[in-house]
Amino acid sequence: GRLYRILGAATMKDYILVLGGFEGQVVLKHESSFSEKILSRINWDPNLNKREFFVGYEDPLSKGVVEVPFVTFSKEDALIQKIRYLKKGGVVMWDKINRISLL
C-alpha cells in the first residue's frame, strides 16, 4: 500500500490543520475541532433542543468561566477552544477538562 506521510500539524482558531500526502503529493487538510462538532450537532440535530443547553467558556476579561444560553452564544463571544463545558438542564453533558461526553 501507499504510505501517507504527515509533514506537520497545527491548531488555528477553530481548526486542526494537517499537512501531508502520499509519495510526494502534498495535501493541506483542515479538521473541525471536537468542540465545534458538538456545537454544530446541538444546533442542527432535530432530536436536541438547543434552547435547553448552556455553554460555559473561559473569559479572559472576567478571568473565569462565563455561562450563557446556547441560543445566544456566538463564536464572537469566545474562541471555540475556550469552551469548557456544555450543560443541559443543569447536567454537564460535555466537559473538555474532565473528559465527559454524554452527547
Side-chain angles (χ1 to χ4, degrees):
R2 296 179 4 174
L3 179 64
Y4 185 84
R5 183 173 301 194
I6 296 176
L7 303 172
T11 58
M12 290 180 55
K13 291 190 178 182
D14 306 338
Y15 299 98
I16 298 169
L17 300 172
V18 178
L19 181 63
F22 292 104
E23 301 169 7
Q25 175 189 24
V26 177
V27 176
L28 179 62
K29 178 180 178 184
H30 79 276
E31 183 82 24
S32 297
S33 69
F34 192 71
S35 301
E36 188 172 34
K37 288 177 184 177
I38 293 287
L39 293 176
S40 180
R41 179 166 177 225
I42 293 170
N43 201 37
W44 299 107
D45 188 334
N47 297 316
L48 298 174
N49 183 353
K50 59 186 168 186
R51 291 176 180 20
E52 296 176 348
F53 285 88
F54 289 83
V55 178
Y57 66 91
E58 294 176 36
D59 181 23
L61 297 176
S62 67
K63 298 190 185 210
V65 177
V66 174
E67 188 174 290
V68 296
F70 179 85
V71 293
T72 63
F73 178 78
S74 71
K75 291 182 184 180
E76 288 75 38
D77 291 333
L79 296 174
I80 296 296
Q81 59 265 48
K82 297 293 184 186
I83 294 175
R84 289 277 311 273
Y85 62 82
L86 294 164
K87 284 184 180 178
K88 178 182 175 188
V91 176
V92 175
M93 301 299 289
W94 181 83
D95 188 309
K96 180 178 181 178
I97 304 298
N98 297 310
R99 297 181 178 250
I100 297 170
S101 183
L102 303 177
L103 292 172

